């Protein structure tokens, strides 16, 4: 018997239900694709994520970036797809602190991200796209810890 296209799709749509969870994180670890540029892979900082639904969360924080400068961010995660316990989508938000991007000023970005959460620990894994010679591409991992449910 032949499988249909719907049967071959491993993704499921996440039902949008209200939540109220507060998560904190200690920054990121970024594996930069341009290894020869001596970029900062360790990006310590402090951040918060308020998950207000099963598909969306607000986030904000500060970290030491790839250019060895401080960056701030604020945005919204939207992750309507899942494979088992792993959610997929993007985070859209504003960032600053990158000297070659708008002289360190604020800019908007959309970043593909997947998230995994188990009880009080989780991780966000993002693919940071390279943008000309202003922003460096990387695979970024952010560990997070749940404070409230």
């Amino acid at each position: 018997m032949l499988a249909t296209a719907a049967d071959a799709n491993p993704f499921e749509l996440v039902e949008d239900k209200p939540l109220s969870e507060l998560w904190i994180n200690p920054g990121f670890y970024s594996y930069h694709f341009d290894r020869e540029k001596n970029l900062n892979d360790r990006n310590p900082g402090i951040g918060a994520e308020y998950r207000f639904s099963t598909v969306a969360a607000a986030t904000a924080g500060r970290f030491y970036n790839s250019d060895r400068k401080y960056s701030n961010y604020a945005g919204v995660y939207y992750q309507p797809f899942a494979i088992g316990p792993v959610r997929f989508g993007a985070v859209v938000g504003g960032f600053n602190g990158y000297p070659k991007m708008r002289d360190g000023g604020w800019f908007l970005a959309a970043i593909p991200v997947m998230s995994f959460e188990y009880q009080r620990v989780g991780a966000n894994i993002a693919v940071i796209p390279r943008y000309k010679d202003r922003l460096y591409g990387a695979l970024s991992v952010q560990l997070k810890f749940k404070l409230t449910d």
Side-chain angles (χ1 to χ4, degrees), residues 61-129:
R62 180 176 175 86
F63 64 99
Y64 194 61
N65 71 30
S66 305
D67 291 318
R68 295 175 173 81
K69 305 287 183 194
Y70 284 98
S71 285
N72 300 294
Y73 64 92
V76 175
Y77 285 95
Y78 182 62
Q79 297 172 299
F81 306 106
I83 296 177
V86 180
R87 282 191 311 272
F88 295 86
V91 60
V92 178
F95 300 82
N96 75 358
Y98 289 88
K100 294 180 181 178
M101 186 66 173
R102 297 188 184 225
D103 295 321
W106 286 91
F107 62 93
L108 291 175
I111 300 168
V113 66
M114 65 184 208
S115 298
F116 174 79
E117 298 166 357
Y118 178 74
Q119 296 181 358
R120 296 207 169 276
V121 297
N124 296 323
I125 302 170
V127 179
I128 313 297

Side-chain angles (χ1 to χ4, degrees), residues 32-49:
H32 292 91
F33 304 135
D34 294 321
R35 301 304 298 164
E36 72 283 355
K37 292 191 177 187
N38 194 30
L39 299 167
N40 181 34
D41 286 342
R42 292 181 202 92
N43 311 123
I46 185 72
E49 181 180 320

